[in-house]
Every structure is written in structure tokens, then in C-alpha cells.
Amino acid sequence: MSPRSASVNEELRRRSRERLLQAAVELVRERGYEATTLGDIADRAGSARGLVSYYFPGKRQLVQSAVHRLMHRTLEESLEREPRTEDGRERMARAVDAILGLARDQTVLMRQHMAGLLQAEGFVQCPEQQRLAELLRDTMARHGSQDVDADYPMLRSLLMGAVYAMVLPNVPMPITALRAELFERYRLDWDMGVPPDTEASGGTGETDLSRFFATDRRPADQSK
């Protein structure tokens, strides 16, 4: 058997990382952050425990990357759903609804995520966070921003504040009130996006989130 090619090795590494991200999301949602160990995550992913440190410096970085993956894939799915649109106001509405929907439907997970962001290191600079930032910057630009570098951080901060208000234990704010404030700021009509009183959800309340961590792509090279 000849050695695997570089492309096959790269694909196997990608799949391994994807499984760890998915396992982290599943376990933190089920048990909470403190009750989840790196060993638990490795076991759920079917990976060697030592492999986790190859991809991530620690548990906080892994969990933050995993939640950012869920966020950017949810946002991407919402922005590109049918009927597809290039209308900047509609895309902004979809973006707001996607993030608020996650706070509503994945409250435990998003609460743990917000707590992690308040640690000294703040945002983990990972591919998942960078992709989320790209999508939000593009949304801001399509909405008509004349200064994306200034307007994007404000959008990010407003969304983070809304998520924090929704996941705050004991005194959460309702999604409708926060959505109304954001829609007024960005001059959006209530029936844009996915209003919270409709049957469809702006987030993902389902228990199977595997589509956000796809590992079914086959390596391009199947050397034998």
C-alpha cells in the first residue's frame, strides 16, 4: 500500500476537526460547559484524546470555535435560503433573525458561548469566527453601509447585546422586543426575514445539527 497523498491527509484532518467541533456543540448543549471535558469530546468524536490538542489549545478555544461554526453556518443558510435575494434590507433581516433564533433555540449553548467571550482572551481568532465576521460585514455592505469598518463592529455589538439579553438567566428579554429595536435601527419592515410569530424559525431548534459539521465529502485522491 503506497503512502497517502497530501490531499488525502488534508481531507482526513478536516474530517477529524469537523467531528470534534460537532461533538463539542452536542455535549455542551447536553451537559453544559463545566460538565464537559476534552476527553468526553474526543470520545464522542471517535478521536484519540491527544489529537484534540493538535487542533485546539484548550477546551474554551474548541467550544468557541464550535459555536462560531454553528453561528456562521446558520447565518449562511438563512442568507441563501429560497427565495434567494440580493435585497440588502431583506438580507439584514435574515441575519438578525438567524442570530436571535439561535439565542432562542439554543439558549444553553449560547449562554456558555457568551460567558466564554467575557474571558480575558475574548474572541478566538479561528476560521469559524473569521467566516462569521465576513458574512456580517458583507451583510452590512449590502445593506448600504458607506463605512463598513465602522458599521460592522456596531452590528456585531448590537447582536451580541441582544443575545446576552435573551440568554440571561431568570430575566431574559423576549425576542420580539429585541427584534423590534434592531429592525427599527436598520429600517426593516416587520414582515421581512422570518418573524418570530411565523411557523418557520430564524434559528435551529432541531436536535440534529450535523449538517453544520459536514464530514461526508470524500478525499479527492484515493491512493491504494
Side-chain angles (χ1 to χ4, degrees):
M1 180 181 293
S2 60
R4 290 194 297 256
S5 69
S7 62
V8 171
N9 285 330
E10 178 63 27
E11 178 63 14
L12 292 173
R13 285 192 291 269
R14 185 192 70 82
R15 292 187 183 191
S16 179
R17 188 175 186 276
E18 295 282 315
R19 286 194 296 269
L20 289 169
L21 291 171
Q22 181 177 346
V25 162
E26 291 175 351
L27 287 169
V28 172
R29 185 176 60 178
E30 294 170 11
R31 307 177 185 177
Y33 180 82
E34 296 299 333
T36 298
T37 68
L38 287 175
D40 294 333
I41 294 171
D43 290 345
R44 175 69 66 92
S47 300
R49 299 191 180 193
L51 190 61
V52 179
S53 60
Y54 176 81
Y55 296 106
F56 304 98
K59 183 172 75 169
R60 193 182 70 81
Q61 291 85 353
L62 168 54
V63 171
Q64 193 176 130
S65 293
V67 178
H68 277 139
R69 163 60 64 83
L70 178 60
M71 291 177 71
H72 94 63
R73 285 283 177 86
T74 299
L75 177 57
E76 192 172 55
E77 185 176 86
S78 181
L79 291 172
E80 301 305 323
R81 68 173 171 81
E82 298 294 341
R84 298 187 65 177
T85 180
E86 296 301 319
D87 180 82
R89 295 174 70 233
E90 171 63 22
R91 291 179 70 87
M92 177 64 78
R94 292 184 184 189
V96 170
D97 285 338
I99 301 303
L100 296 188
L102 274 174
R104 177 193 60 203
D105 300 337
Q106 306 293 344
T107 302
V108 171
L109 193 61
M110 296 304 290
R111 182 181 295 143
Q112 300 293 339
H113 180 61
M114 295 303 295
L117 294 180
L118 294 176
Q119 301 299 313
E121 297 86 349
F123 278 113
V124 171
Q125 297 300 315
C126 60
E128 287 73 24
Q129 189 275 329
Q130 292 166 6
R131 179 57 180 152
L132 177 63
E134 289 170 2
L135 288 170
L136 289 175
R137 287 180 64 90
D138 180 70
T139 297
M140 195 72 256
R142 295 188 191 215
H143 186 258
S145 171
Q146 300 301 305
D147 187 355
V148 175
D149 287 339
D151 293 338
Y152 156 67
M154 178 59 70
L155 173 62
R156 182 186 63 196
S157 297
L158 290 170
L159 290 173
M160 289 175 62
V163 169
Y164 180 83
M166 288 180 66
V167 303
L168 196 63
N170 303 320
V171 287
M173 286 195 65
I175 188 172
T176 50
L178 293 163
R179 185 181 194 265
E181 287 291 323
L182 288 166
F183 270 44
E184 180 178 1
R185 178 181 181 88
Y186 290 108
R187 306 180 306 281
L188 309 175
D189 300 330
W190 184 260
D191 59 354
M192 289 180 166
V194 185
D197 55 348
T198 62
E199 183 177 349
S201 168
T204 171
E206 60 200 289
T207 58
D208 182 8
L209 305 179
S210 59
R211 73 182 186 281
F212 297 112
F213 304 91
T215 59
D216 58 353
R217 203 170 65 203
R218 294 180 62 83
D221 184 344
Q222 295 287 354
S223 299
K224 296 181 180 181

